[in-house]
Amino acid sequence: MNDFSLAERFEENRGRLRAVAYRMLGSTGEAEDAVQEAWLRLSRSDTSEVENLAAWLTTVVGRVCLDVLRSRKSRGEEPLGVHVPDPIVSLDPEQETLMADSVGLALLVVLETLSPAERLSFVLHDMFGVPFDDIATIAGRTPAATRQLASRARRRIQGVPAPETDLTRQRTVVEAFIAASRGGDFDALVAVLDPDVVLHVDGGSFSKLVRGAAEVAGQALMFSRLAPYSRPALINGAWGILTAPEGKPASVMAFTVRGGLVAELHILADPARLERLEVKDS
């Protein structure tokens, strides 16, 4: 196989590889690095006997991501406070279908509570259908052990109530939140929040965890001056809010809606990470 056709076949798999890496790492930059590493390893390898290139590449990306996760733990690089994974933001409603299968930030937060091996087993098997025999090779475990790891991860994730998936109902709630914020209407904000709503704020140098409708509404009103610059945006395939004064992102707010109310809010307000944020527009 010549270099050109190899590159073409790699590009055909890039989207899937990026999706695997993003779910494994929760970082768009590290995901791109993992995909690039897969290309470097492919370009240096003899693939003449590789029957399933997609599976081979997925194995490589899985191994690279597992190494990154293990390195985070060994170096003590895991965040001490609230951490919001990198969001994928789109302002183009036409991309709703393309974004529909994106993994939500709330689920990514739960994935980050798993051990590296649990995350690998769950992501590769449950999200991408990789056989446990293949995962066992990556993890250095037996197939039975990787099956148990995925099962343990699944129980953790199934313990989280399912969010509203209807995009129209999601947007209605988000727009009500924006309207209440712009109007400085405390009661209207409380009305769209679940009584047990949880707010996660990752500001880079600071973080915050707030519980309860009244408390979260109070926090929202503290930033009401920015409400005129807020607009609905697709955050990882669900409606949320992008706040961008003069076109420069100041925060990304991901909503988890259940029963017509906001059950969780994840806010990324880290200037350094927002500076690198890519917003897909029409």
Side-chain angles (χ1 to χ4, degrees):
M1 185 182 302
N2 60 51
D3 291 342
F4 181 71
S5 60
L6 191 64
E8 280 188 319
R9 292 185 63 190
F10 179 81
E11 288 303 319
E12 290 172 356
N13 286 279
R14 181 183 288 275
R16 173 186 168 88
L17 299 176
R18 188 166 48 231
V20 170
Y22 177 61
R23 285 155 176 76
M24 283 290 298
L25 301 174
S27 164
T28 54
E30 287 183 327
E32 289 292 348
D33 289 345
V35 172
Q36 183 62 22
E37 177 63 23
W39 163 248
L40 292 175
R41 294 189 187 187
L42 176 64
S43 63
R44 296 194 297 257
S45 300
D46 178 5
T47 58
S48 58
E49 296 184 4
V50 174
E51 296 181 1
N52 187 333
L53 184 64
W56 188 92
L57 288 168
T58 300
T59 297
V60 171
V61 168
R63 188 169 286 122
V64 171
C65 291
L66 183 61
D67 288 344
V68 172
L69 292 176
R70 286 172 172 168
S71 178
R72 285 181 189 173
K73 279 192 171 295
S74 65
R75 296 177 188 172
E77 294 179 352
E78 294 179 319
L80 296 177
V82 173
H83 174 67
V84 175
D86 289 351
I88 298 174
V89 182
S90 173
L91 297 175
D92 183 3
E94 297 301 320
Q95 293 190 38
E96 288 182 14
T97 302
L98 297 177
M99 299 287 287
D101 63 348
S102 297
V103 60
L105 284 190
L107 177 55
L108 279 176
V109 168
V110 178
L111 289 177
E112 293 192 344
T113 67
L114 305 176
S115 71
E118 286 173 341
R119 191 167 184 172
L120 175 80
S121 301
F122 176 81
V123 168
L124 290 188
H125 181 268
D126 286 44
M127 293 183 167
F128 294 95
V130 178
F132 284 118
D133 285 353
D134 294 348
I135 299 171
T137 301
I138 301 170
R141 310 283 184 99
T142 66
T146 57
R147 191 183 302 274
Q148 290 177 345
L149 289 166
S151 178
R152 196 155 61 220
R154 200 176 300 121
R155 286 196 298 272
R156 185 91 58 89
I157 289 163
Q158 287 176 344
V160 179
E164 170 66 65
T165 57
D166 185 280
L167 288 171
T168 300
R169 288 196 287 268
Q170 285 179 14
R171 178 151 186 163
T172 298
V173 173
V174 169
E175 290 180 338
F177 185 96
I178 293 175
S181 297
R182 286 176 177 168
D185 191 332
F186 178 83
D187 291 337
L189 272 173
V190 170
V192 299
L193 299 174
D194 185 277
D196 299 317
V197 63
V198 181
L199 168 65
H200 311 255
V201 182
D202 180 351
S205 60
F206 71 93
S207 66
K208 186 177 294 187
L209 180 66
V210 181
R211 300 178 184 275
E215 291 76 9
V216 171
Q219 290 291 318
L221 288 181
M222 289 176 61
F223 299 97
S224 59
R225 70 186 187 283
L226 294 175
Y229 307 103
S230 299
R231 61 180 294 185
L234 286 166
I235 315 296
N236 287 52
W239 282 108
I241 295 174
L242 172 67
T243 300
E246 299 180 357
K248 184 177 180 180
S251 70
V252 173
M253 184 181 296
F255 283 64
T256 299
V257 176
R258 299 189 190 108
L261 298 173
V262 181
E264 285 185 75
L265 289 168
H266 290 85
I267 300 179
L268 178 64
D270 180 351
R273 291 170 63 197
L274 288 169
E275 190 173 344
R276 301 191 297 267
L277 180 71
E278 292 185 12
V279 179
K280 300 177 183 178
D281 210 337
S282 54

